[in-house]
Amino acid sequence: MKFILFIIILSLSLLQFGTAQGNVRKKINSDSSKLLPPHWNPQSAADKVLFRLVNVSAPYVKGTHDAEFVCVGNRAFIVAEANNVKSGENASWPFIYTTLSVVNLKTLKVENIIPMAKGEQFFENETLPAGACFVPRIIQKDNQTLRCFFASEDPGKRESQTWYIDFSIPQMAFEDRIHRAKLKTYEGTFNMQPKYFYNDAKIQGFNHPPLDFGLYIVDSFKSFDGKTYVGINNYPAGQNALAVLNDSMDVFEVIGHYNEPSELRLTESAVNRLPDGTWMAICRQEGGNANYVFSTSVDGKIWTKGASHDIILNGTSSKPVFEKFRGVYYLGWQESTKINNVGRSVYNIDISLDGKVWERKYHFETTLSFQYPSLHEHNGSIWLSVTSDGQKKIMFGKLEEFK
């Protein structure tokens, strides 16, 4: 009897030990899956980034916004909106133009600031109409050429048009010719104008009123399987789509729209692809509680109805970031929290291996504001451009360096 009791007690002890070992093993696996070391301080990490950023806007600029960039060799080429009249930006301001800053990556010195396009500017083959030149984007076309896109618009007076102009890296100059970008939809290929984008969405049930301005290349260009993809939108109309850029880099083909729930007025999305191939878009929201909304798609054509996600509980209306570097996703979003009542003064960047479990890597707090960042990897580092100082400056520098 005593022997049987001893066996029972021993068995229970071994069971408890095994359970404890299992719990430890689960904890170790959980800890080992974390990307950040213990006691990581997101705000301290962000403060170090803020300290090393430099202003790349011209001293005479009064307002600027929404920069994007590429790095080639030892230089960064940063495009942005700018104006010399007042802070901020607005599509109805005809004095807004686009510009390109050339920055040395080794010294972070601005080597040159080159005007790109402004309303009523004469080119060899075209003259731009009056109106704002808005939301520039840039992509490297080949070893010697950068292609820069921008929207020319005059709300309520004409259809806006997306143009492109090429920049020669060897000559460090723009060509004197501009060209109309095209938009390919279900109905055909047209000039890249809001009405054709709207008509394509309307076929799929989009019911917001049409607008003659607001069609932008909103996200950063991303490459998958040898093709270049980008999120495009009509910001004031609350209209979004995934597009693919052709090999000649002059036609944007709409793959699929994601605008639901339409009452939330989703806009300014950032798009990426998850490890299983699923597309995911994080969208700015204008018509509800201002928190970000996520939509997914298996094929990029048919998208789920957008919904909030518990990884973001207190987001606010501002453009997000969704990038992937060396197998790690970087999700950037604006917090509704305000520092000293300054809008867009808090920004988070979370990281993940699978797009499901996220860790806070950077928590930016600054009364100069931190908004509309763009992130790109080059030569072993992630570089950052961001609108700051209440849309008066574009700041640039290194986010982090890979070890």
Side-chain angles (χ1 to χ4, degrees):
M1 188 69 178
K2 290 182 179 180
F3 177 77
I4 295 173
L5 182 61
F6 170 78
I7 293 298
I8 294 174
I9 294 173
L10 178 62
S11 299
L12 289 173
S13 298
L14 289 173
L15 179 62
Q16 289 175 348
F17 177 77
T19 302
Q21 286 292 91
N23 289 338
V24 170
R25 190 176 297 111
K26 289 178 182 178
K27 185 177 187 300
I28 290 173
N29 288 342
S30 175
D31 290 345
S32 64
S33 68
K34 288 184 177 297
L35 294 166
L36 299 174
H39 312 299
W40 176 265
N41 188 321
Q43 185 167 347
S44 176
D47 288 344
K48 293 175 183 177
V49 174
L50 290 174
F51 180 76
R52 58 180 177 249
L53 297 181
V54 298
N55 178 19
V56 298
S57 299
Y60 49 79
V61 165
K62 296 290 191 284
T64 185
H65 194 45
D66 203 355
E68 183 56 274
F69 69 97
V70 296
C71 295
V72 181
N74 292 322
R75 293 186 175 97
F77 298 86
I78 306 164
V79 295
E81 304 167 6
N83 83 84
N84 306 336
V85 179
K86 56 184 177 179
S87 64
E89 48 94 49
N90 191 296
S92 64
W93 296 351
F95 47 82
I96 289 185
Y97 59 94
T98 54
T99 185
L100 181 144
S101 297
V102 183
V103 180
N104 187 300
L105 292 175
K106 292 184 176 180
T107 64
L108 287 188
K109 300 294 184 183
V110 178
E111 295 182 345
N112 204 354
I113 297 177
I114 306 168
M116 182 198 307
K118 62 179 180 179
E120 301 182 273
Q121 181 174 345
F122 293 96
F123 292 89
E124 182 182 297
N125 63 326
E126 296 269 7
T127 299
L128 280 174
C133 289
F134 224 56
V135 189
R137 291 294 180 262
I138 186 170
I139 187 171
Q140 185 172 0
K141 187 175 185 293
D142 53 47
N143 291 336
Q144 297 187 325
T145 311
L146 305 177
R147 177 151 292 179
C148 300
F149 298 90
F150 62 92
S152 168
E153 52 191 12
D154 198 357
K157 297 181 180 179
R158 61 175 173 85
E159 278 293 309
S160 73
Q161 170 69 47
T162 297
W163 298 80
Y164 66 86
I165 184 171
D166 286 341
F167 181 84
S168 169
I169 298 174
Q171 298 177 12
M172 284 290 157
F174 284 105
E175 68 171 1
D176 194 30
R177 300 175 67 85
I178 55 174
H179 312 271
R180 289 175 174 83
K182 303 292 184 179
L183 186 72
K184 185 177 180 181
T185 70
Y186 177 79
E187 296 181 309
T189 302
F190 310 94
N191 285 331
M192 194 165 177
Q193 298 177 356
K195 61 183 177 183
Y196 303 112
F197 187 43
Y198 175 83
N199 290 343
D200 196 54
K202 187 177 180 181
I203 292 173
Q204 299 186 25
F206 186 68
N207 58 8
H208 290 192
L211 294 173
D212 61 8
F213 75 106
L215 172 56
Y216 309 128
I217 305 162
V218 66
D219 196 15
S220 300
F221 294 102
K222 299 180 178 74
S223 294
F224 300 102
D225 303 326
K227 295 183 178 181
T228 301
Y229 296 86
V230 69
I232 62 177
N233 80 322
N234 187 310
Y235 167 70
Q239 186 182 346
N240 311 270
L242 176 67
V244 61
L245 183 62
N246 68 342
D247 292 340
S248 298
M249 294 188 178
D250 56 3
V251 179
F252 293 83
E253 181 180 355
V254 176
I255 299 174
H257 299 264
Y258 43 95
N259 301 312
E260 296 298 328
S262 61
E263 63 271 16
L264 297 186
R265 291 180 53 82
L266 305 180
T267 187
E268 289 193 334
S269 68
V271 189
N272 216 310
R273 206 160 67 172
L274 301 179
D276 65 358
T278 300
W279 291 95
M280 177 182 282
I282 172 176
C283 304
R284 172 178 173 171
Q285 179 191 162
E286 293 296 311
N289 62 6
N291 196 23
Y292 293 92
V293 164
F294 290 82
S295 182
T296 59
S297 172
V298 174
D299 57 6
K301 299 177 182 178
I302 307 300
W303 291 76
T304 61
K305 190 175 183 179
S308 59
H309 194 294
D310 58 9
I311 64 174
I312 299 179
L313 300 176
N314 58 337
T316 193
S317 299
S318 190
K319 189 170 81 73
V321 166
F322 194 12
E323 299 290 345
K324 187 179 184 181
F325 306 113
R326 304 193 181 194
V328 178
Y329 292 97
Y330 284 64
L331 182 68
W333 55 280
Q334 200 87 53
E335 235 187 72
S336 59
T337 309
K338 295 181 180 180
I339 306 300
N340 293 344
N341 206 34
V342 173
R344 293 177 174 173
S345 55
V346 179
Y347 197 94
N348 297 309
I349 296 179
D350 299 331
I351 61 172
S352 172
L353 287 172
D354 57 7
K356 299 176 182 179
V357 179
W358 294 88
E359 300 173 63
R360 179 69 36 81
K361 189 163 190 179
Y362 298 100
H363 176 78
F364 294 92
E365 291 190 3
T366 171
T367 53
L368 294 177
S369 79
F370 190 101
Q371 53 186 296
Y372 283 63
S374 180
L375 309 177
H376 294 287
E377 181 186 355
H378 181 69
N379 285 349
S381 297
I382 300 176
W383 297 88
L384 161 76
S385 68
V386 64
T387 301
S388 185
D389 201 10
Q391 298 183 358
K392 296 178 183 177
K393 296 176 182 176
I394 299 298
M395 307 295 289
F396 176 78
K398 189 178 291 186
L399 178 72
E400 63 185 64
E401 188 172 358
F402 292 105
K403 303 299 184 184

